[in-house]
Amino acid sequence: MEEQKTTHTTGTDLQRVLISGGGTGGHIFPALSIANAIKRRYPDADIRFVGALGRMEMERVPAAGYPIEGLPIAGFDRKRLWRNFGVLLKLWKSLRKARKIVRDFQPQIAIGVGGYASGPVLKQAQKQGIPTILQEQNSYAGVTNKLLAAKAKAICVAYDGMERFFPSETIVKTGNPVRTDLEKCSLSQDEAKQKLGFTPATPLVLAVGGSLGARTVNEAIAAALPLIGNKSINLFWQTGRYGADHFQSLAAIHKNVKATTFISDMDIAYRAADLVVSRAGAGTISELQNLGKPCILIPSPNVAEDHQRHNAEALSEKGAAVMILDAEAVDKLPSAIVKLIENPSKRQNLSTEIKKMALRNADEKIVDRIEAIIR
């Protein structure tokens, strides 16, 4: 496996790029980050997206300034197989539409970031002789990328050991593109705590479960409130939308706890935090690696191929994070938070090890590879 180094070559004229995938923020953000990196080098490049109708990319991509077309595609229902006749019909329609999109646009390269829509689009691009590149965010590869890998020109990954899933000669270790604004916070940790309304001298736990909210993470944090309430520990808690009123009413009882539905200034929240409690999505983990934040990861069991658990294990096995399984979170999280807050040297070790795993400038490295492929 090759580790990509940024070269910033601009001798290739990149005019038409097709990017496909989505379904979750974990797919959409890397796709937009790659598009933005292409635009920085090639301001006149025509970049078009293809997503799945009804999924969040159909809103997020236009909001970022890029055109998108939607495919009528859905995932297979593995538990209720009789429902898949409609899924197969949608797949057939999606393949036809993807063929037309690729034929009409004639991209120089097609990029797949995972998710339902990337399968038909990259399959059609490969059939039409257009080079394809895959970006795999997780340590356990998704089904779509595994199916497309044999004919891909390059597969950009963030973890070691991806030869289990992909041809080794096409693997490039670039890391995952992350939100660059998170590292631009100019505040010190004490200033960030004050900005959020917390006492600088008191350790701060940041708990995030996503914009919708992660039920188990919220229930585990709620179970920790009595213990945290009696300790010199502050808690900043993003509950997400689901169950927000209930969890925020529990938080209101404690003076050292602030709960909010959504945190808009994540750069300040990360800078302020002494410890982060989070799910184990690939994008979040890459952010924590770049920022060197000690963390407790609670992988979601409700994702394809159980990839969040594999992501968390890749860190916990190197002493770069503490992993607590979803089923054990309510019982184990309260004491785990207190133990880490009361052990600064352990937190420092976690910070050191997770920072070693950071792979920066992933978006630029991916564009380097795109240039090399089309040159």
Side-chain angles (χ1 to χ4, degrees), residues 273-336:
D274 294 282
L275 175 67
V276 178
V277 178
S278 173
R279 284 301 200 192
T284 299
I285 285 178
S286 294
E287 290 171 357
L288 294 168
Q289 288 170 337
N290 281 10
L291 297 169
K293 285 294 171 181
C295 59
I296 298 173
L297 299 174
I298 305 171
S300 170
N302 306 311
V303 293
E305 286 85 42
D306 200 18
H307 66 246
Q308 285 204 9
R309 181 175 63 83
H310 294 287
N311 292 349
E313 284 176 342
L315 273 68
S316 63
E317 287 170 359
K318 293 185 176 182
V322 172
M323 181 181 77
I324 299 177
L325 294 178
D326 189 87
E328 301 173 338
V330 172
D331 292 331
K332 292 187 175 181
L333 183 64
S335 60

Side-chain angles (χ1 to χ4, degrees), residues 42 46 74 84 88 150 158 163 186:
Y42 302 95
D46 187 355
N84 288 320
L88 289 169
E163 296 85 355
S186 60

Side-chain angles (χ1 to χ4, degrees), residues 1-4 26 30 134-141 145 155-166 171-178 281-287 289-290 310-311 314-315 318 354 356-360 362 365-366:
M1 179 172 64
E2 179 183 348
E3 186 157 340
Q4 177 73 31
L134 306 178
Q135 202 262 323
E136 175 57 59
Q137 299 93 29
N138 296 293
S139 64
Y140 195 91
N145 279 348
I155 303 163
C156 299
V157 303
Y159 292 90
D160 294 324
M162 299 305 286
E163 296 85 355
R164 293 176 293 161
F165 311 108
F166 304 129
I171 295 174
V172 189
K173 192 177 179 185
T174 59
N176 287 324
V178 299
T284 299
I285 285 178
S286 294
E287 290 171 357
Q289 288 170 337
N290 281 10
H310 294 287
N311 292 349
L315 273 68
K318 293 185 176 182
I354 197 170
K356 286 179 185 176
M357 298 180 75
L359 294 166
R360 302 180 187 280
K365 293 173 185 174
I366 291 168

Side-chain angles (χ1 to χ4, degrees), residues 83-356:
R83 294 193 174 188
N84 288 320
F85 177 77
V87 174
L88 289 169
L89 181 61
K90 288 179 178 179
L91 177 59
W92 179 75
K93 289 179 179 178
S94 295
L95 283 166
R96 287 189 64 191
K97 187 171 183 180
R99 183 167 63 241
K100 184 178 187 305
I101 291 169
V102 174
R103 187 181 65 233
D104 292 350
F105 184 48
Q106 283 297 300
Q108 290 162 284
I109 194 159
I111 304 165
V113 296
Y116 302 142
S118 65
V121 174
L122 267 75
K123 196 63 158 178
Q124 293 301 327
Q126 289 173 346
K127 279 186 176 181
Q128 294 181 39
I130 291 160
T132 59
I133 187 169
L134 306 178
Q135 202 262 323
E136 175 57 59
Q137 299 93 29
N138 296 293
S139 64
Y140 195 91
V143 171
T144 302
N145 279 348
K146 283 191 280 190
L147 291 172
L148 295 166
K151 294 184 178 179
K153 295 293 184 184
I155 303 163
C156 299
V157 303
Y159 292 90
D160 294 324
M162 299 305 286
E163 296 85 355
R164 293 176 293 161
F165 311 108
F166 304 129
S168 59
E169 65 274 12
T170 55
I171 295 174
V172 189
K173 192 177 179 185
T174 59
N176 287 324
V178 299
R179 293 176 286 184
T180 55
D181 61 303
L182 295 178
E183 296 184 75
K184 293 179 181 176
C185 181
S186 60
L187 302 176
S188 68
Q189 186 177 37
D190 284 356
E191 289 170 339
K193 286 181 180 179
Q194 287 177 318
K195 187 91 171 173
L196 298 174
F198 293 104
T199 308
T202 305
L204 176 65
V205 177
L206 171 64
V208 287
S211 57
L212 296 178
R215 187 180 68 183
T216 305
V217 174
N218 281 336
E219 288 176 349
I221 291 293
L225 289 177
L227 194 56
I228 289 173
N230 291 323
K231 299 282 184 178
S232 181
I233 300 172
N234 287 329
L235 171 66
F236 192 31
W237 181 9
Q238 178 182 286
T239 63
R241 290 206 301 268
Y242 295 144
D245 290 344
H246 169 66
F247 292 116
Q248 289 173 27
S249 66
L250 295 177
I253 301 169
H254 303 277
K255 292 181 179 179
N256 56 341
V257 178
K258 292 180 187 292
T260 182
T261 305
F262 180 73
I263 299 172
S264 55
D265 297 320
M266 277 303 296
D267 57 335
I268 297 174
Y270 272 139
R271 180 59 56 88
D274 294 282
L275 175 67
V276 178
V277 178
S278 173
R279 284 301 200 192
T284 299
I285 285 178
S286 294
E287 290 171 357
L288 294 168
Q289 288 170 337
N290 281 10
L291 297 169
K293 285 294 171 181
C295 59
I296 298 173
L297 299 174
I298 305 171
S300 170
N302 306 311
V303 293
E305 286 85 42
D306 200 18
H307 66 246
Q308 285 204 9
R309 181 175 63 83
H310 294 287
N311 292 349
E313 284 176 342
L315 273 68
S316 63
E317 287 170 359
K318 293 185 176 182
V322 172
M323 181 181 77
I324 299 177
L325 294 178
D326 189 87
E328 301 173 338
V330 172
D331 292 331
K332 292 187 175 181
L333 183 64
S335 60
I337 288 173
V338 173
K339 283 179 183 176
L340 279 174
I341 288 297
E342 292 180 345
N343 190 343
S345 63
K346 172 66 174 174
R347 280 188 280 119
Q348 183 57 54
N349 289 341
L350 289 171
S351 177
T352 300
E353 294 305 316
I354 197 170
K355 208 162 192 174
K356 286 179 185 176

